[in-house]
Amino acid sequence: MTQFTNQHVIITGGTRGIGAGLAETFLRAGATVIATYSGNDEAARNFKEKLALYGEKLVLKKFNVADAQAVENFFREYEGQFPSLEVLVNNAGIRRDNIVASLPESDWDSVLDTNLKGTYLMTRFAVLQMMKNRYGRIVNMSSVGGKLGLPGQANYAASKAGQIALSLSVSKEVAKRNITINNVCPGFIETELLADLPEEQVKEYKSQVPMKRFGKVDEVAHAVLFFAAREASYITGATLDVAGGLNA
């Protein structure tokens, strides 16, 4: 697979979990990948070492996607370093689970800031880059949780539903510039994001999935590459569940 040769792909939260899997898949497909992360330097170093064979095709950038000034600074540096931007994957996301009656305001704010505000900020500046070449693909990593509304995840569900709503509006704003924006909604995927779940909860979640298993990162990555491809030129504002049949 070399369909992304000479393309530049930004993946937020791109050094761990689904983001790391996406980065590796795009690299295998020939892209130059700019993977962003916010805090875990050790994980970023390990990720870079693991994919050392790709050399300068993998670039790591550390900043907080919820910080408007940091995002603006990143894109200013990006413009000076890279000739174009073809793909943005808004993958950075966090969870702070609690029932709403016990959910601290700080946990509501942090999840909405990272998951939704971060998507807005990255999309805003990416669109400005993409408009110059009248081409772009934006993929939001939303979640079936935004439609199911799992208990204890009011903040997370709101942020993920918000990503879909944002894309519907933006898709209409940028369509004439040959820029598309779509959403991939993973279900339960085997990453460290689920590693902290109790064993009984894992069993309960798997029982809810018609396929009776959690998904794999590669299964999500193929959906993302589909939306990011040049051939997906007449698809925008769409949402694709990758959830083993789990849906609202």
Side-chain angles (χ1 to χ4, degrees):
M1 285 199 315
T2 58
Q3 71 265 42
F4 290 93
T5 298
N6 298 323
Q7 292 197 34
H8 303 83
V9 180
I10 296 173
I11 303 174
T12 65
T15 61
R16 294 194 298 162
I18 290 176
L22 296 178
E24 186 170 359
T25 303
F26 272 108
L27 286 165
R28 289 200 304 265
T32 294
V33 172
I34 300 87
T36 85
Y37 70 104
S38 62
N40 195 327
D41 292 319
E42 182 179 1
R45 283 195 301 271
N46 291 340
F47 178 65
K48 180 71 172 176
E49 290 172 4
K50 175 188 174 185
L51 299 179
L53 72 157
Y54 292 104
E56 295 182 358
K57 298 278 282 185
L58 173 60
V59 179
L60 303 188
K61 296 289 185 179
K62 181 181 179 181
F63 67 95
N64 181 0
V65 296
D67 182 331
Q69 190 59 59
V71 173
E72 184 173 359
N73 291 343
F74 163 76
F75 275 98
R76 186 180 297 114
E77 293 176 6
Y78 181 95
E79 192 171 10
Q81 187 174 357
F82 301 100
S84 59
L85 173 60
E86 283 72 33
V87 181
L88 166 67
V89 182
N90 285 309
N91 172 74
I94 62 172
R95 280 180 25 234
R96 298 286 187 271
D97 294 354
N98 212 329
I99 60 173
V100 73
S102 302
L103 182 66
E105 182 180 355
S106 59
D107 285 353
W108 174 272
D109 288 344
S110 62
V111 170
L112 270 291
D113 281 351
T114 298
N115 299 6
L116 186 53
K117 183 182 178 182
T119 295
Y120 147 68
L121 289 171
M122 292 296 297
T123 299
R124 175 189 173 193
F125 285 97
V127 163
L128 292 172
Q129 291 279 334
M130 293 171 172
M131 286 172 67
K132 297 174 183 177
N133 294 321
R134 298 186 67 87
Y135 178 84
R137 300 283 184 264
I138 300 172
V139 183
N140 294 332
M141 299 305 299
S142 184
S143 170
V144 293
K147 295 182 285 185
L148 291 173
L150 296 173
Q153 292 191 345
N155 49 0
Y156 185 78
S159 70
K160 293 303 178 178
Q163 285 182 306
I164 294 173
L166 180 150
S167 73
L168 291 173
S169 291
V170 175
S171 67
K172 296 171 176 63
E173 297 170 0
V174 301
K176 290 183 178 179
R177 300 298 182 98
N178 197 26
I179 300 170
T180 67
I181 178 167
N182 294 290
N183 309 278
V184 172
C185 291
F188 299 110
I189 307 299
E190 293 178 347
T191 70
E192 61 265 28
L193 195 64
L194 298 181
D196 61 341
L197 294 177
E199 184 177 349
E200 287 302 313
Q201 195 169 7
V202 169
K203 290 180 180 179
E204 171 62 23
Y205 284 161
K206 284 185 178 179
S207 72
Q208 298 174 24
V209 180
M211 287 189 174
K212 303 304 178 187
R213 67 175 177 87
F214 288 167
K216 301 182 184 303
V217 172
D218 283 350
E219 294 172 314
V220 178
H222 286 298
V224 175
L225 263 67
F226 166 72
F227 277 138
R230 290 188 180 276
E231 291 79 1
S233 54
Y234 203 56
I235 306 171
T236 192
T239 299
L240 176 62
D241 292 352
V242 184
L246 181 68
N247 50 51

